[in-house]
Amino acid sequence: MGALREENRVEDIVNSFIMEWRTPIYKDKVLILVEGKSDKCFYYKFFNSETSEIRNSQGCRKLKEIHERLLCCHSIKNITIRDSDFERLNGTLLSINGFFYTDAHDYEMMCLRDEQTRKELIENLVTINYSEEVFENIFEELKCISYFKWYNYTKHLSYNFDSFSVTSFEKDQLNDFDFIHGEIHPKSRKAKVVTKTILNKFKTDHNTCDPYELTCGHDFIKRLCFYLKKEHRIQKKENDIKDIMRPCFRMDSFKRTELYHSICAWSNKYSLNILRS
């Protein structure tokens, strides 16, 4: 029943785009499909508004299905940008015309991977000199939960991390698998239970992975909020940090990403001027 609802939702979203792109305002524009409202707020400044229009998937996670349906609709030129999540680490990036991934786990981590963006963000948040140590410490504190999420994602398990807040616990608790496991719950009683031994084996087998690919941007920014409150008595929420970070990642930063060059190559192939200079 759930699968049918998702299928119907994909159909509804595609049909709404088709109807919208039949109007004179949009019929000659390229549809840029992103995941959510936050992604739209981030990507809009990189695209030419005269030749393209950014839309989000309205919370639907079936980006691939929506994209492939749109590819069959010859009246719409479209590209899709989605978070890499753990796909690059798993070597499972899809190769579909016009379907692109962030350089890191998500757009937040793609921003933070850029050194100039990191420096500007910290300078705008606190009156201290930038230190790479802050980022290294946060990565280390989130390592256990990040590997747990990767394993859960890769093995298609049913652990639900939604209620687990990385801002509520000290670093020792975040590095304690038994503690984390006790705070989260599989959605189904029939779900396979992950043990410390299983996760440690997975971590050992993948111990050289890129932390910007491993770590979820939401977790990192929330943990940065924890650090600001604890060390500098600065109260910031995740969205506050994002609002400060997005302007720090400018067009020159975007041009250094693989995502930019992939979109540029696609745009040149179809003689479509969708990226801002």
Side-chain angles (χ1 to χ4, degrees):
M1 199 68 180
L4 181 59
R5 281 198 298 269
E6 281 292 296
E7 180 67 21
N8 290 338
R9 192 175 184 198
V10 168
E11 194 70 29
D12 289 343
I13 292 171
V14 171
N15 287 337
S16 70
F17 286 141
I18 291 173
M19 293 297 293
E20 194 173 8
W21 256 253
R22 285 176 179 169
T23 64
I25 297 176
Y26 300 115
K27 71 180 184 67
D28 294 323
K29 289 188 174 186
V30 175
L31 167 61
I32 315 292
L33 181 63
V34 296
E35 293 192 48
K37 292 180 181 179
S38 179
D39 301 270
K40 184 177 178 180
C41 291
F42 171 68
Y43 285 109
Y44 84 94
K45 65 183 177 182
F46 303 126
F47 289 95
N48 185 342
S49 61
E50 294 181 359
T51 57
S52 64
E53 192 73 22
I54 300 181
R55 291 285 187 272
N56 67 68
S57 65
Q58 304 168 34
C60 181
R61 297 184 178 183
K62 299 284 186 177
L63 277 181
K64 172 180 174 289
E65 288 79 356
I66 296 172
H67 181 82
E68 290 180 327
R69 297 280 185 89
L70 289 170
L71 282 181
C72 298
C73 180
H74 300 295
S75 61
I76 299 178
K77 280 286 186 186
N78 69 287
I79 68 170
T80 296
I81 305 172
R82 67 151 286 186
D83 293 342
S84 295
D85 295 323
F86 300 106
E87 298 291 345
R88 183 174 287 107
L89 290 177
N90 286 337
T92 52
L93 296 181
L94 298 172
S95 180
I96 302 173
N97 184 30
F99 195 87
F100 305 112
Y101 293 87
T102 52
D103 279 35
H105 190 101
D106 41 40
Y107 89 77
E108 293 92 345
M109 297 312 293
M110 185 170 69
C111 288
L112 293 173
R113 178 182 264 170
D114 183 74
E115 183 179 8
Q116 187 58 39
T117 302
R118 294 198 300 274
K119 289 181 177 180
E120 286 192 33
L121 173 62
I122 294 299
E123 289 167 2
N124 286 331
L125 286 170
V126 291
T127 55
I128 60 171
N129 293 328
Y130 167 79
S131 171
E132 194 69 26
E133 185 180 358
V134 173
F135 287 79
E136 292 173 356
N137 288 342
I138 293 176
F139 279 133
E140 192 63 32
E141 290 172 7
L142 294 174
K143 186 175 285 188
C144 187
I145 190 71
S146 297
Y147 271 104
F148 198 164
K149 287 185 175 182
W150 183 11
Y151 188 83
N152 185 65
Y153 181 96
T154 303
K155 301 300 182 180
H156 307 289
L157 305 181
S158 301
Y159 280 88
N160 184 359
F161 295 88
D162 292 344
S163 62
F164 186 85
S165 173
V166 298
T167 61
S168 302
F169 308 110
E170 295 296 329
K171 61 181 181 181
D172 291 342
Q173 293 173 306
L174 288 178
N175 279 298
D176 186 337
F177 172 81
D178 292 329
F179 175 81
I180 294 173
H181 194 274
E183 292 291 321
I184 59 175
H185 308 282
K187 293 180 181 178
S188 169
R189 292 182 179 180
K190 297 180 180 179
K192 179 181 177 181
V193 175
V194 179
T195 66
K196 182 188 293 187
T197 301
I198 290 173
L199 191 64
N200 283 343
K201 173 69 163 54
F202 184 75
K203 288 168 66 176
T204 300
D205 291 343
H206 302 86
N207 65 351
T208 58
C209 67
D210 183 346
Y212 289 93
E213 294 286 356
L214 173 66
T215 312
C216 170
H218 296 291
D219 288 345
F220 190 97
I221 292 175
K222 287 176 181 176
R223 196 61 186 173
L224 180 58
C225 292
F226 177 90
Y227 162 80
L228 292 170
K229 181 179 178 180
K230 184 177 181 180
E231 299 295 329
H232 301 281
R233 297 181 180 178
I234 296 174
Q235 293 276 2
K236 292 290 182 183
K237 295 182 179 179
E238 181 183 1
N239 286 337
D240 298 331
I241 303 292
K242 288 183 180 181
D243 289 342
I244 296 170
M245 181 181 71
R246 290 191 197 105
C248 298
F249 190 84
R250 293 180 287 273
M251 194 69 194
D252 59 328
S253 302
F254 190 48
K255 285 182 176 180
R256 290 193 285 270
T257 66
E258 291 182 19
L259 175 60
Y260 171 84
H261 290 290
S262 296
I263 295 173
C264 195
W266 181 92
S267 181
N268 292 336
K269 178 181 178 180
Y270 295 102
S271 301
L272 297 166
N273 182 27
I274 62 172
L275 287 163
R276 292 184 181 179
S277 58

